[in-house]
Amino acid sequence: MGIKSLFGFGQARDKPVDKAADAGYSFLFGRTTSGKPVNERTAMQTTAVYACVRILAEAVASLPLHVYEYQDDGGKKLVHDHPLYYLLHDEPNPEMTSFVFRETLMSHLLIWGNAYAQIIRDGAGRVLGLYPLLPDKMDVQRDDKGNIYYVYSRNSDENPMFKEYGNIRLKAEDVLHIPGLGFDGLIGYSPIAMAKNAVGMTLACEEYGASFFANGANPGGVLEHPGVLKDPSKVRESWNSVYRGVSNAHKIAVLEEGMKYQQIGIPPEEAQFLETRKFQVNEIARLYRIPPHMVGDLDKSSFSNIEQQSLEFVKYTLDPWVIRWEQSLQRSLLLPGEKGKYFIKLNVDGLLRGDYQSRMNGYAVGRQNGWFSANDIREMENMNPIPDEEGGNLYLINGAMTKLADAGAFAKTDTGQQDAPAQENSGKRGKR
C-alpha cells in the first residue's frame, strides 16, 4: 500500500481521474490517545490554539495590502486605480472589511489547512467581489480531462451569492484557494488533524484541572465505618452533596457512627499537573512556530532576546504565510494579460522596525550614503513629504569620499607636481 492510499491523499496530478482530492483529511480528526475528541472547534477551545491562531490571523490581516505595477526602469509603482486595489485594501465584499476577510481566511488556513473564497467576476473576467467559503464544506475534484473544479455543499446561508442549496459546482477560476502544507500541491492538510494527540492531551489537561477544582481542589479520600453499611452509595452521595465542590471547601465535617475520614495523598501526576500544562502550551506554540513569549510563556524570555525572537517570528513564521497569500492572490485574481505587469504585495516592513534609536541610526547611515532621501525616510515614518523644490527628494553623499582608482590622481596634477618639492624640502627640514 502506497503512502497516498495509506493516508487518503488522493491521486498524483499526472494521473487525472474523476476525483483528485477532497477534504478527506477530516477522518484524521476524532478521538485521540488521550480519549478526548479533537476537531476544529474543540481545538479552538484551548487557549494555546486560540492564541496561536489569533496571533497569525491578526498579523496577516493587519499588514498593508497593495497592488503594484512594474516600471520600465526596474522599479515599482503603487496603483490606486486598479479594480483589485479597493477590493483587497478596503472591502472585498459589501459585508466585510479587508481585515475581517483576511482574518477569516487565515483562521481557516490555520485550522483546516485550506482557505477558500468565491470570486465574483464581470463579463470581462475582472473581479467584483470575494466571499469566504467554509473549508469543511468544500470538495476539490478533477474532471475526465484532468481539469480541477470545486464542489461546495451548501446547507446554510453563510454566502449570499448562492441561491440554491445542496452541492454547487464552481469552476477553478471562480475560487480563490490558498492551500497550506500538503503532499500533492493541491490540498493542504490540517495542522490540528496532524497534531491531534498533542491537542487532545491539552484538552484532557484542562478537563482534569477543571475536575480537580470542582472537587474543592483537594484529592479524594476514604470514609471508614466500623460496621457494615447496607447502602454505601447513599453515604457517599450524602457526603458529596455537603462537602464536594469549591463552594463547599473548608466546611467542618460531622461524622457519625464512629466513621473516620482518611485523605489520600496527592499522587505525583497531580503534583506535576502545572508543569504538564506548561509543556502542552509549548507543544501548541511549536506546532504553529510561535515564540513562547507571544502566548504568555516568559520563562526563557528576557529584555535582551524578546526583540530578536519577534524578528525571527516575522522572518521564519510570518513570511512563508505571506508568500502563500501573495502568490495565490496573483494566480487567481490577476487576469492573464496583467500577470506580467502587476503584482500584489503584503508589506511586512512595519513589523521589522526596531526601536526609535535603531531606526534613526539606520536612517542616518542611509541618508549619508545616498540611498535614502528625506522623503524616503519621512514616508517610512508616516510623515508628509517635503516639497521637491525644498530638496525633499535629493540624494546626498559625503563629499570627502572618492573612488579607490582615483586615490592617487591628485599627485599627477599640475598643482600636485608644483607642491611636491616644497613637501620634500619640508621633509628635509623636519629631519634636522
Side-chain angles (χ1 to χ4, degrees):
M1 180 181 293
I3 188 170
K4 287 182 177 292
S5 59
L6 177 64
F7 288 98
F9 291 145
Q11 301 297 320
R13 298 186 66 174
D14 58 348
K15 298 179 180 179
V17 293
D18 289 342
K19 190 177 185 63
D22 59 9
Y25 64 79
S26 60
F27 82 93
L28 291 171
F29 287 122
R31 192 163 296 278
T32 64
T33 52
S34 67
K36 301 301 297 179
V38 171
N39 56 48
E40 63 278 1
R41 290 177 173 82
T42 59
M44 285 290 282
Q45 293 175 3
T46 68
T47 56
V49 172
Y50 185 87
C52 291
V53 170
R54 183 178 178 184
I55 287 168
L56 284 170
E58 290 179 346
V60 170
S62 62
L63 294 176
L65 179 56
H66 299 301
V67 179
Y68 291 91
E69 181 181 5
Y70 292 109
Q71 298 294 291
D72 294 336
D73 59 359
K76 62 182 180 180
K77 176 186 177 183
L78 185 63
V79 184
H80 293 92
D81 56 355
H82 193 283
L84 281 177
Y85 184 89
Y86 177 77
L87 290 175
L88 297 176
H89 186 268
D90 298 307
E91 292 184 12
N93 63 67
E95 300 177 349
M96 297 180 185
T97 63
S98 176
F99 183 95
V100 172
F101 174 80
R102 285 184 277 159
E103 182 183 45
T104 301
L105 259 63
M106 188 63 189
S107 65
H108 291 174
L109 192 53
L110 294 166
I111 295 297
W112 280 287
N114 293 276
Y116 302 94
Q118 183 189 11
I119 304 173
I120 309 300
R121 300 182 185 271
D122 62 10
R126 291 169 299 196
V127 181
L128 299 177
L130 297 166
Y131 289 85
L133 299 172
L134 293 174
D136 58 340
K137 297 183 178 182
M138 184 65 80
D139 188 15
V140 185
Q141 299 190 11
R142 198 188 291 274
D143 62 19
D144 54 0
K145 296 181 179 179
N147 298 318
I148 294 293
Y149 67 93
Y150 298 83
V151 178
Y152 190 72
S153 301
R154 180 178 183 246
N155 53 18
S156 56
D157 296 327
E158 70 277 357
N159 190 327
M161 301 309 295
F162 293 142
K163 304 302 180 185
E164 67 275 7
Y165 291 90
N167 292 336
I168 302 171
R169 178 166 173 161
L170 299 168
K171 295 183 291 185
E173 58 265 29
D174 293 332
V175 175
L176 167 64
H177 180 197
I178 307 173
L181 176 65
F183 296 140
D184 59 3
L186 293 176
I187 302 295
Y189 293 93
S190 168
I192 297 298
M194 293 300 182
K196 66 178 182 180
N197 283 327
V199 177
M201 187 171 179
T202 305
L203 287 167
C205 285
E206 290 190 356
E207 182 174 323
Y208 180 87
S211 175
F212 183 70
F213 284 100
N215 288 321
N218 287 316
V222 177
L223 284 172
E224 296 181 358
H225 193 278
V228 178
L229 289 174
K230 294 181 180 180
D231 191 357
S233 61
K234 185 176 181 180
V235 175
R236 181 172 56 250
E237 291 173 3
S238 176
W239 176 272
N240 286 337
S241 64
V242 178
Y243 302 111
R244 185 178 182 181
V246 177
S247 60
N248 294 325
H250 309 300
K251 281 188 175 180
I252 298 175
V254 178
L255 301 177
E256 299 177 308
E257 301 179 2
M259 283 194 300
K260 296 180 180 179
Y261 177 76
Q262 181 67 38
Q263 179 173 305
I264 299 175
I266 299 179
E269 59 269 20
E270 287 186 356
Q272 295 295 321
F273 169 67
L274 292 179
E275 290 297 323
T276 302
R277 289 209 63 188
K278 184 179 293 186
F279 176 77
Q280 288 309 118
V281 170
N282 286 329
E283 279 282 272
I284 303 302
R286 184 180 298 115
L287 170 64
Y288 286 106
R289 205 185 299 164
I290 300 291
H293 77 270
M294 298 186 74
V295 291
D297 184 359
L298 300 175
D299 282 357
K300 297 182 180 179
S301 298
S302 64
F303 179 79
S304 60
N305 67 12
I306 278 187
E307 182 176 1
Q308 183 60 37
Q309 290 183 58
S310 299
L311 294 177
E312 290 178 355
F313 165 73
V314 176
K315 184 175 181 180
Y316 299 114
T317 303
L318 199 58
D319 252 2
W321 292 112
V322 166
I323 293 172
R324 287 182 192 274
W325 270 83
E326 291 174 345
Q327 294 187 354
S328 296
L329 292 173
Q330 290 172 189
R331 181 182 63 86
S332 300
L333 304 184
L334 290 176
L335 296 175
E338 295 179 328
K339 292 184 178 180
K341 185 178 180 182
Y342 298 98
F343 67 96
I344 299 169
K345 183 173 180 60
L346 285 157
N347 193 343
V348 299
D349 291 345
L351 299 179
L352 296 171
R353 290 156 59 96
D355 56 58
Y356 184 81
Q357 182 178 357
S358 299
R359 297 201 311 274
M360 294 304 110
N361 291 337
Y363 294 152
V365 172
R367 179 70 165 145
Q368 293 169 10
N369 289 278
W371 67 77
F372 279 162
S373 69
N375 283 342
D376 292 336
I377 298 171
R378 293 176 70 86
E379 182 180 358
M380 288 184 284
E381 290 293 318
N382 292 319
M383 300 170 68
N384 292 329
I386 298 173
D388 196 19
E389 58 269 16
E390 297 181 15
N393 293 315
L394 284 177
Y395 290 88
L396 308 175
I397 193 167
N398 193 330
M401 300 176 67
T402 186
K403 293 185 293 184
L404 181 61
D406 296 338
F410 178 77
K412 299 178 181 179
T413 63
D414 294 340
T415 304
Q417 292 172 355
Q418 292 172 3
D419 291 346
Q423 293 173 358
E424 185 178 353
N425 293 333
S426 175
K428 292 178 179 179
R429 288 194 298 267
K431 293 179 181 177
R432 291 176 181 174

